Amino acid sequence: AAGVIQSPRHLIKEKRETATLKCYPIPRHDTVYWYQQGPGQDPQFLISFYEKMQSDKGSIPDRFSAQQFSDYHSELNMSSLELGDSALYFCASSWTGANTEAFFGQGTRLTVV
Amino acid sequence: QKEVEQNSGPLSVPEGAIASLNCTYSDRVSQSFFWYRQYSGKSPELIMSIYSNGDKEDGRFTAQLNKASQYVSLLIRDSQPSDSATYLCAVRAANDYKLSFGAGTTVTVRA
């Protein structure tokens, strides 16, 4: 079965550079979630989209923005990168609705040097 | 205080034993409850979902939910070395578009 696809898998950027992470949800899933996970930490919710509209917002820095496109893929744009942005970034997708399961992509490991 | 609290680890169990993981949540409108398994450096993998009070069994895994006590647990029977991982409890409220995670419990199964 098709899973959530994230690209790139690994990314190395310098401080103050920009990065774009992409997420392709499971076909027919209409909700996308973005999470950031630092070493030894639990996933921290950044932002989610339902039907191409922002549906919820968590601890996403103002330097980050995200959107969901007409084909339901989503992109997380990160500017003015800082060393502390180094983390695993996960995307998950689900159907919307009361009792639906969310599945995670393999993640993008971002290293800021 | 975190919305979702898990029993502190790490939890070490011998092979073949039962591993018991606990999770409490603070938001009474929480509706959906999940257990994810995460190996180091990998993404969370959904292993159980539970939506109504009681037990739900899937192979060697049993999830238990008690909404009155705002408590959800996961039992792993006949623990195997491959079960060694961090287990994340996740909760979603009704009409909510995010999963809230606990800090995770690291389980080590000793061969």
Side-chain angles (χ1 to χ4, degrees):
Chain A
V4 178
I5 305 297
Q6 290 188 247
S7 67
R9 294 289 309 280
H10 302 273
L11 192 57
I12 300 175
K13 290 287 186 177
E14 294 188 354
K15 285 193 301 183
R16 293 180 289 278
E17 284 193 316
T18 62
T20 297
L21 278 53
K22 296 185 178 183
C23 170
Y24 296 85
I26 292 172
R28 294 182 294 281
H29 279 188
D30 54 14
T31 303
V32 167
Y33 315 78
W34 284 98
Y35 285 84
Q36 177 192 59
Q37 188 175 31
Q41 298 180 353
D42 54 289
Q44 296 296 309
F45 173 70
L46 293 178
I47 196 167
S48 63
F49 292 89
Y50 164 63
E51 282 292 343
K52 293 153 281 185
M53 298 289 289
Q54 180 183 308
S55 50
D56 207 340
K57 193 171 181 180
S59 52
I60 184 169
D62 291 340
R63 299 177 289 108
F64 294 6
S65 64
Q67 58 183 323
Q68 187 178 32
F69 294 86
S70 58
D71 63 351
Y72 292 95
H73 94 272
S74 179
E75 295 184 3
L76 178 66
N77 299 293
M78 311 160 71
S79 63
S80 302
L81 287 168
E82 302 173 355
L83 296 178
D85 296 329
S86 296
L88 278 167
Y89 289 83
F90 293 111
C91 169
S93 75
S94 73
W95 279 107
T96 192
N99 298 334
T100 58
E101 298 171 334
F103 298 91
F104 282 77
Q106 292 183 297
T108 295
R109 180 176 293 281
L110 172 66
T111 302
V112 181
V113 298
Chain B
Q1 185 182 5
K2 281 179 70 73
E3 293 178 43
V4 183
E5 300 275 358
Q6 294 186 235
N7 53 322
S8 58
L11 178 64
S12 180
V13 298
E15 186 173 358
I18 294 175
S20 177
L21 308 171
N22 301 318
C23 174
T24 57
Y25 58 94
S26 59
D27 190 347
R28 287 195 169 274
V29 300
S30 296
Q31 187 173 25
S32 307
F33 307 87
F34 309 93
W35 285 99
Y36 287 85
R37 177 176 62 197
Q38 187 175 29
Y39 296 111
S40 181
K42 304 296 184 183
S43 63
E45 175 192 7
L46 180 67
I47 55 172
M48 288 290 283
S49 58
I50 188 166
Y51 309 114
S52 55
N53 283 329
D55 296 357
K56 180 181 178 182
E57 186 174 317
D58 184 359
R60 296 185 294 109
F61 299 99
T62 299
Q64 299 173 317
L65 174 61
N66 183 324
K67 290 186 178 181
S69 300
Q70 295 178 243
Y71 172 90
V72 58
S73 67
L74 180 71
L75 297 177
I76 307 173
R77 291 184 303 282
D78 188 24
S79 295
Q80 302 296 307
S82 60
D83 295 327
S84 298
T86 296
Y87 290 80
L88 296 162
C89 174
V91 171
R92 183 169 65 211
N95 301 317
D96 211 0
Y97 290 91
K98 69 176 182 183
L99 293 170
S100 297
F101 283 89
T105 300
T106 298
V107 174
T108 301
V109 180
R110 311 186 303 271

